[in-house]
Amino acid sequence: MSDPLITQRYARLSMTLHWLMLALFVGVYGCIEIKGLLPRGHALKGVLLGGHALFGIGIFLLVWLRLWARLAPRPPIVPRPPAWQTGVSHLMHMALYGLMIVTPLLAWLMLNAAGKPLPYLEFPLPSLVAPDPDLAKQFKHWHEWLGSAGYWLIGLHAVAGLFHHYWVRDNTLLRMLPKR
């Protein structure tokens, strides 16, 4: 494995955003999972739905900063992986960025079509579509489907990082970790 002292790392902004996004995803998924465990009418359901929305908004806002930060040079993976792994990595990252952009947009469209404000804060969002209960159900279906796919995308991303660190023994994971 590369010596961690000489491993080139991502810029501090990229590392910070990466791990902050993980925390926001834990919040998004944690709120919605706990909400699902509570009985119908429980007082915390609204608070958790609001937290889910706030974490989702955080993801949606920060993803644009992450995309901008990706314009900076990236440290090389040492040793260089095969071309097929690099291709799969690019597809995975595109899927993760799609998750971070499309899922919150679907929630926004769902709320618009349902004629509802942002949960918890009652913050009005600009309307992208007219109220339409059937359309709201479709947006909800796709939002939930993509959210479920997110478990797999995030899990595969984490497993790939650990695989590269412990099995391949390259610096893929070290590049995203702060210096010790």
Side-chain angles (χ1 to χ4, degrees):
M1 184 184 316
S2 300
D3 182 354
L5 298 176
I6 61 169
T7 295
Q8 294 179 12
R9 287 175 165 68
Y10 278 93
R12 187 171 306 221
L13 176 63
S14 292
M15 283 191 278
T16 301
L17 288 171
H18 178 270
W19 296 108
L20 179 57
M21 295 298 259
L22 173 61
L24 290 172
F25 270 112
V26 168
V28 160
Y29 285 113
C31 284
I32 211 65
E33 291 297 331
I34 293 169
K35 177 188 168 285
L37 295 173
L38 296 174
R40 185 178 217 99
H42 194 284
L44 284 180
K45 280 193 170 239
V47 172
L48 289 166
L49 188 59
H52 174 79
L54 291 176
F55 287 126
I57 290 169
I59 288 169
F60 185 72
L61 294 175
L62 289 179
V63 71
W64 303 105
L65 186 55
R66 281 197 73 180
L67 286 168
W68 176 77
R70 281 186 64 94
L71 297 175
R74 285 175 239 149
I77 297 174
V78 179
R80 186 183 178 117
W84 72 267
Q85 284 184 7
T86 301
V88 170
S89 168
H90 291 313
L91 287 174
M92 174 59 78
H93 283 99
M94 285 177 26
L96 286 166
Y97 281 101
L99 175 73
M100 293 183 268
I101 293 168
V102 176
T103 309
L105 281 176
L106 286 168
W108 185 356
L109 289 164
M110 175 183 66
L111 290 172
N112 284 171
K116 294 181 180 178
L118 181 66
Y120 192 51
L121 295 180
E122 302 298 313
F123 182 80
L125 294 172
S127 278
L128 301 176
V129 295
D132 179 340
D134 291 330
L135 191 57
K137 287 177 189 171
Q138 287 179 337
F139 287 136
K140 181 179 181 183
H141 167 77
W142 287 108
H143 175 77
E144 290 175 350
W145 183 89
L146 198 52
S148 295
Y151 284 110
W152 288 97
L153 291 172
I154 294 164
L156 287 171
H157 179 69
V159 166
L162 294 171
F163 172 78
H164 277 271
H165 187 72
Y166 290 108
W167 184 267
V168 178
R169 298 192 178 275
D170 63 19
N171 68 339
T172 296
L173 181 61
L174 294 174
R175 299 175 317 146
M176 192 49 80
L177 294 175
K179 292 179 183 174
R180 292 188 219 179

